[in-house]
Amino acid sequence: MKHFTSVHDVQDVAALVDEVLQLKQSPYAHKSLGQDKTLGLIFLNPSLRTRLSTQKAGMNLGMNVMVMNLDKEGWALETQEGVIMNGTTVEHIKEAAAVMGQYCDIIGLRSFPKLQDREEDYSEDLLNKFIQYAKVPVVSLESATRHPLQSLADLVTIKEQKVSGKKPKVVLSWAPHIKPIPQCVANSFAEWMQQADVELVIANPEGYDLSEEFTQGAQVLHNQNEALEGADFVYVKNWSSYENYGQVLTDGEGWMITNEKLALTNNAKVMHCLPVRRGLELSHEVLDGPNSLVIEQANNRLYAAQAVLKRMLEGNN
Ligand code: SN0
């Protein structure tokens, strides 16, 4: 695998899911693969699961791992072409990425969207420039529009938990939040589910429809209760508006998943990528109850990252 930035970098999604599950069975089976190889993890935004799971994934493969919080510990990055750098930015991405590429065999990059200019965010300018100048394989640790390692772990979790022989109904359900949140996790989840053997239904209030580039004809309902009927999995996630880009349009009263809402489903398992705002996005009772998969999902992040790094080390798709 040259780079891992979306589901489109994967030739056979089902085979990758199987590989994740194999690694979960024997995480230390490829200890020598990463010997004398260096993984650099570069963060421009906060992280808990992505940082620790990807670091551990590298270590399980015998890699050396370096982590840098570039937003706090690095020089302020410039990304524009041809600018006179007489302002606050100190170092151009051309040099910064090229230098990191010298030190690392694989680089992971996290960079959230700014949620101000839709065209700019959806062009994935920073990630693309980073790939261009680093010249080594790059893993997205969540970019402006996607979070592919999360979606891979989510798909693995659904495969593990689904009732065999039945195509599961998976509902991606928008949740309330107090601040503008990226569309990445939702975009990416929709994009990966389209490649899986599931029935995907998306429930969100009016004004929150995701880009069709990601939803690709999935059913979108503005009535959450209708969407939840017979659901086997409910994936809870807030996102800000794509149409009124980056805006919070409603307080979303009545959209939090509670036990009452779960009663409408087929005893659905409940998923969330975390971090979750308790009592706002998801009720305490559901998070603490038997239907929650959130910790198992986070566990699968490790093996998802490991499968991707393994393929990069092997040079396989
Ligand atoms: C990020 C997001 O893209 O949704 C990262 C998720 C893995 N989440 C947040 O920014 C949550 C921030 C908050 O204040 O709740």
Side-chain angles (χ1 to χ4, degrees):
M1 197 178 288
K2 183 70 185 141
H3 303 291
F4 183 75
T5 65
S6 81
V7 74
H8 307 299
D9 291 316
V10 183
Q11 254 173 24
D12 183 340
V13 173
L16 182 59
V17 167
D18 285 342
E19 192 163 357
V20 175
L21 289 167
Q22 274 166 27
L23 285 165
K24 192 171 180 176
Q25 292 302 312
S26 42
Y28 308 112
H30 308 276
K31 255 312 221 193
S32 54
L33 193 62
Q35 197 188 344
D36 299 333
K37 301 283 184 196
T38 299
L39 172 65
L41 301 177
I42 309 298
F43 290 89
L44 290 160
N45 309 94
S47 172
L48 186 152
R49 278 146 294 277
T50 302
R51 174 173 171 154
L52 295 179
S53 64
T54 314
Q55 187 167 1
K56 185 167 173 180
M59 295 189 307
N60 283 0
L61 293 165
M63 301 184 82
N64 298 311
V65 189
M66 303 193 293
V67 182
M68 187 168 183
N69 297 315
L70 198 63
D71 58 328
K72 297 187 190 75
E73 296 151 3
W75 303 111
L77 270 191
E78 180 59 59
T79 56
Q80 302 279 342
E81 284 290 326
V83 287
I84 298 170
M85 286 170 57
N86 60 358
T88 51
T89 56
V90 178
E91 175 155 35
H92 203 280
I93 192 167
K94 285 190 183 185
E95 284 84 34
V99 168
M100 290 186 263
Q102 298 290 309
Y103 304 148
C104 302
D105 299 281
I106 299 174
I107 297 181
L109 178 69
R110 162 159 290 192
S111 106
F112 285 176
K114 296 196 190 84
L115 294 177
Q116 279 152 14
D117 180 335
R118 184 167 95 177
E119 223 174 291
E120 186 191 318
D121 286 346
Y122 275 68
S123 75
E124 289 285 9
D125 182 57
L126 185 86
L127 176 65
N128 289 332
K129 284 191 172 136
F130 200 90
I131 288 173
Q132 183 184 349
Y133 299 119
K135 294 194 167 70
V136 295
V138 172
V139 183
S140 165
L141 306 175
E142 187 170 349
S143 68
T145 64
R146 294 175 171 93
H147 195 356
L149 283 175
Q150 179 68 50
S151 311
L152 174 56
D154 295 336
L155 183 50
V156 167
T157 308
I158 288 172
K159 173 151 189 193
E160 284 180 314
Q161 301 283 340
K162 73 174 184 170
V163 176
S164 66
K166 179 181 186 276
K167 184 170 173 158
K169 176 175 175 180
V170 177
V171 178
L172 169 60
S173 186
W174 181 91
H177 209 290
I178 42 124
K179 71 180 207 201
I181 295 291
Q183 293 105 32
C184 311
V185 171
N187 280 344
S188 208
F189 184 75
E191 196 171 54
W192 282 72
M193 286 304 120
Q194 298 290 6
Q195 306 273 335
D197 190 24
V198 306
E199 179 200 350
L200 175 67
V201 176
I202 304 173
N204 57 255
E206 299 215 20
Y208 281 92
D209 288 7
L210 295 165
S211 162
E212 284 177 13
E213 181 193 346
F214 299 92
T215 59
Q216 294 164 39
Q219 192 180 16
V220 179
L221 296 175
H222 298 143
N223 181 330
Q224 189 193 41
N225 288 355
E226 189 187 333
L228 290 174
E229 252 171 60
D232 299 296
F233 293 88
V234 181
Y235 196 98
V236 178
K237 185 72 186 86
N238 169 266
W239 60 87
S240 59
S241 175
Y242 174 75
E243 296 167 47
N244 294 293
Y245 192 64
Q247 289 182 32
V248 175
L249 308 174
T250 169
D251 64 8
E253 209 193 322
W255 278 78
M256 181 171 74
I257 298 292
T258 57
N259 278 346
E260 207 181 320
K261 293 268 183 187
L262 273 192
L264 302 168
T265 70
N266 181 28
N267 194 23
K269 300 285 187 191
V270 178
M271 302 174 71
H272 189 289
C273 65
L274 304 181
V276 64
R277 301 277 190 132
R278 281 178 166 255
L280 178 67
E281 291 181 83
L282 249 171
S283 68
H284 295 267
E285 59 187 9
V286 172
L287 276 165
D288 296 330
N291 292 40
S292 172
L293 293 181
V294 298
I295 305 302
E296 196 46 41
Q297 257 177 288
N299 183 34
N300 284 334
R301 293 291 310 275
L302 168 59
Y303 309 107
Q306 207 175 318
V308 168
L309 294 174
K310 176 174 175 280
R311 285 188 174 202
M312 284 184 167
L313 289 168
E314 292 168 338
N316 289 338
N317 279 322

